[in-house]
Amino acid sequence: MDADLILTNARILTMDPDNPRAEAIAIAGDRILAVGRNDDIHALAGPDTRRRDAGGATLLPGFVESHLHLFSGAYGETLLQLAGVKGFDALKRAVDGFAAANPDTPLLFGQGADYALLGPDRMLDRHALDAICPDRPLIVMAYDFHSAFANTAALKAAGLLQGRALPPGNEVVMGEDGLATGELHEKHAFLPVLDLRTTGGREMLGMSGIEPPVPPTDKERADDRAFLKLGLRHAARHGITAMHNMDGNRYMLEVLREIETEGDLIARVRVPFHLTPEMDLSELDRASAMTRDFTGLTLSSGYVKMFLDGVIESGTAAMLAPYANRPGHRGETLFTREAFLAAATEADRRGLQIAVHAIGDAAVRLALDGYEAAAQANGPRDRRNRIEHIEMIAPEDVPRLAKLGVVASMQPPHAPQGESGTTAGIGPDRARQAYVWRDLHDAGAVVAFSSDWPIVPISPLAGIQAAMMRENWIYGLPDQRLELHDVLAAYTRNGAYVGFMETETGTLRAGMKADLTLLSGDIEATPHDRIAQMGIALTICDGRITHDA
């Protein structure tokens, strides 16, 4: 069989322990035909074979983005971007410009804001936002998507100015005047404002596991396909060939299937069912149906996502000990212990994989307890359950992940590099328990890295640099950096493993799916502090070029 495409003169890191390095690769159709030396691969060329000289650049398995939010990330590319904006005047200029460019949008929406945007001693509130924009609804989302800040017009339009009773862990912060301050914690607090968007909030419905309350029109479905295609192209430009979405519903799967039918699904996408605390466990029938109906190698379901807590910055992460900067405050889990153990056991009984957002060490412990209870109730099987983030973990819980076969799904760019709301909440006394991906790796857990886009930029190269350049914000903490090849495995082979795809992708060897990424240079020879500046020269998914610089 002749190759359709051969790449030669590459520094190939196959992520295959049996054949870790090579010079060239041949692709036929959607599969890898051979991996080996230049001369051997050249011999597989036929008259119609396309050839490409990699010029000594690194060739890797396609990056697996193990935790992102595709729909909201793609939609977010159209919003006001506030990352790096500091100070009242800069915020006003940004909002004024966006408002002028979008005169008809019903909600001015900025995202990516730092909690200390107005300075370390002043929190955003409706009064500050009213001074910027008094007449049109305005919301500013914090970079972690767990807190938002709305002006008075937005609060009135959403019916929140007088407050609202919400599920545990969600809060409309109230002022001494008996009115909402504009500070909104967690999704049930800010979704009423986001419902003012022209999309009707369809890009965020997966965070609640619900379907559009009114069937979208043909135009709305077309708009949603356009947003998702934008996100897929954005991912391909960063070398991503597979992604695990971390919110989902059947509607998202149906729209992605329409994209697949059109021939534009240019990455492998897994979409979960999102189970929330207020749902009855019978709702897992929907998760089972999604799993049954979407089983392809490019589009699939098969897992359940749950949130156990919030984030450290807003004090909504669940901690075993009080926050260092909030005496007596520990946060709380969104599920009670009894409810979560029941949910984990029932999802597991159905054969579903489980992914749990757990940031505080109390939430991580509850996640592990739930997985252990499910295994005891349902017997042994290959589960590959996951914990997302693990920003804090008690030392005695570190070995439990490997023992239970739980994957540590972590995001290197989330680790703080200096003083921040995160570090203030953790405090120096237990800083050694934060972001311990090397401890988890050394204890035998599978570690999968990702970005959590749009929380941070999607770039795996930026994530690799963050993992390699991990700095401690106080002196004397253990070094949590991993060796480069372990970091690359966490973005490739391990991501395929957690998606039950290791027999199809994640390594470069004959017979595997042709998913690969060619970098712009030699990553092994690149200083660690310059990896994020490298580019992606070529992305191939299923043997098809999805990005070519």
Side-chain angles (χ1 to χ4, degrees):
M1 177 186 294
D2 291 342
D4 294 318
L5 173 66
I6 61 173
L7 298 168
T8 56
N9 295 323
R11 297 184 182 276
I12 301 179
L13 303 178
T14 68
M15 297 295 116
D16 178 3
D18 295 330
N19 182 35
R21 294 179 180 270
E23 297 176 320
I25 191 167
I27 296 171
D30 62 353
R31 299 279 176 178
I32 296 171
L33 182 61
V35 181
R37 297 180 303 172
N38 285 325
D39 290 345
D40 295 333
I41 298 302
H42 274 302
L44 298 173
D48 298 322
T49 299
R50 292 169 292 160
R51 302 168 184 260
R52 181 153 180 161
D53 190 317
T58 297
L59 182 68
L60 294 163
F63 289 128
V64 179
E65 177 39 84
S66 294
H67 184 126
L68 89 171
H69 302 274
L70 178 63
F71 202 172
S72 60
Y75 177 73
E77 293 295 300
T78 68
L79 303 179
L80 173 59
Q81 302 300 315
L82 294 175
V85 173
K86 293 286 187 182
F88 179 88
D89 292 341
L91 178 60
K92 180 170 173 51
R93 287 193 299 270
V95 171
D96 286 348
F98 187 76
N102 296 273
D104 299 322
T105 187
L107 177 67
L108 299 173
F109 189 174
Q111 71 174 27
D114 192 287
Y115 280 87
L117 189 154
L118 297 183
D121 300 320
R122 183 182 179 190
M123 183 70 77
L124 269 175
D125 60 18
R126 66 183 175 93
H127 302 295
L129 295 178
D130 288 348
I132 291 171
C133 181
D135 301 323
R136 296 175 64 184
L138 167 65
I139 189 168
V140 171
M141 185 71 70
Y143 67 89
D144 57 21
F145 277 66
H146 285 264
S147 292
F149 307 89
N151 69 353
T152 301
L155 293 168
K156 285 182 177 178
L160 295 177
L161 188 60
Q162 276 73 40
R164 181 178 296 184
L166 297 173
N170 299 262
E171 181 184 13
V172 176
V173 177
M174 303 302 292
E176 294 181 358
D177 59 359
L179 299 176
T181 67
E183 187 175 349
L184 308 169
H185 293 311
E186 300 300 334
K187 66 178 183 181
H188 288 291
F190 52 70
L191 280 178
V193 178
L194 299 190
D195 285 343
L196 302 174
R197 293 167 293 180
T198 54
T199 65
R202 290 187 304 279
E203 77 285 356
M204 293 290 286
L205 289 180
M207 294 297 291
S208 301
I210 60 176
E211 305 298 331
V214 177
T217 65
D218 289 345
K219 182 184 183 304
E220 288 170 338
R221 292 183 84 100
D223 289 344
D224 293 346
R225 287 196 300 273
F227 281 128
L228 288 166
K229 289 178 184 179
L230 173 68
L232 290 165
R233 292 193 297 271
H234 183 66
R237 286 194 295 271
H238 289 280
I240 293 167
T241 60
M243 58 188 71
H244 304 164
N245 207 58
M246 279 297 135
D247 60 272
N249 53 17
R250 190 177 190 93
Y251 175 69
M252 188 184 301
L253 281 162
E254 290 174 347
V255 174
L256 286 166
R257 179 171 279 173
E258 292 169 8
I259 293 172
E260 183 179 30
T261 300
E262 294 171 348
D264 292 330
L265 189 59
I266 57 175
R268 307 184 192 282
V269 185
R270 299 184 76 218
V271 176
F273 173 77
H274 192 158
L275 183 70
T276 59
E278 60 271 15
M279 289 181 180
D280 187 85
L281 293 185
S282 63
E283 294 284 354
L284 288 171
D285 288 346
R286 295 160 57 199
S288 295
M290 287 163 57
T291 296
R292 180 192 66 234
D293 296 340
F294 295 88
T295 59
L297 293 179
T298 50
L299 181 60
S300 63
S301 186
Y303 69 115
V304 173
K305 169 73 182 298
M306 290 183 268
F307 272 81
L308 272 184
D309 67 347
V311 294
I312 294 170
E313 291 90 333
S314 63
T316 53
M319 304 288 237
L320 291 171
Y323 281 70
N325 59 345
R326 299 179 67 173
H329 177 73
R330 299 171 185 256
E332 58 183 331
T333 57
L334 300 178
F335 283 80
T336 66
R337 177 179 178 83
E338 179 183 19
F340 177 69
L341 266 58
T345 299
E346 175 58 17
D348 183 78
R349 184 190 67 80
R350 294 168 177 259
L352 297 166
Q353 185 187 33
I354 307 170
V356 170
H357 167 116
I359 282 182
D361 47 9
V364 171
R365 177 167 292 175
L366 179 54
L368 291 167
D369 290 349
Y371 292 157
E372 187 170 24
Q376 290 173 351
N378 299 322
R381 69 176 179 87
D382 185 6
R383 292 176 164 83
R384 307 187 195 183
N385 291 330
R386 342 163 20 140
I387 302 180
E388 311 302 314
H389 309 307
I390 317 182
E391 295 187 5
M392 292 285 296
I393 184 169
E396 58 268 31
D397 287 329
V398 168
R400 295 180 67 195
L401 278 85
K403 180 180 178 182
L404 294 169
V406 174
V407 175
S409 174
M410 305 179 77
Q411 297 71 42
H414 286 194
Q417 301 297 313
E419 291 298 328
S420 69
T422 305
T423 58
I426 294 169
D429 291 341
R430 54 183 179 182
R432 65 181 52 250
Q433 301 168 31
Y435 306 92
V436 294
W437 50 68
R438 181 172 175 176
D439 287 354
L440 289 162
H441 171 272
D442 290 350
V446 173
V447 177
F449 281 155
S450 57
S451 68
D452 199 7
W453 184 62
I455 307 305
V456 300
I458 200 172
S459 170
L461 289 171
I464 293 166
Q465 176 171 310
M468 301 302 300
M469 293 294 295
R470 170 75 180 274
E471 296 177 3
N472 296 318
W473 71 89
I474 62 172
Y475 179 75
L477 292 183
D479 187 353
Q480 292 294 339
R481 291 174 296 177
L482 290 170
E483 192 271 337
L484 175 63
H485 286 234
D486 290 328
V487 174
L488 295 177
Y491 276 103
T492 56
R493 184 179 66 218
N494 295 0
Y497 170 85
V498 72
F500 293 90
M501 287 287 288
E502 75 275 13
T503 61
E504 297 286 346
T505 188
T507 56
L508 300 179
R509 63 177 185 270
M512 298 288 280
K513 283 286 192 176
D515 296 356
L516 49 91
T517 298
L518 179 66
L519 306 186
S520 61
D522 179 358
I523 196 170
E524 293 178 293
T526 300
H528 295 164
D529 64 352
R530 298 185 65 82
I531 289 175
Q533 299 175 36
M534 298 179 72
I536 303 297
L538 186 70
T539 307
I540 296 175
C541 181
D542 239 11
R544 178 169 57 154
I545 294 174
T546 58
H547 167 72
D548 191 343

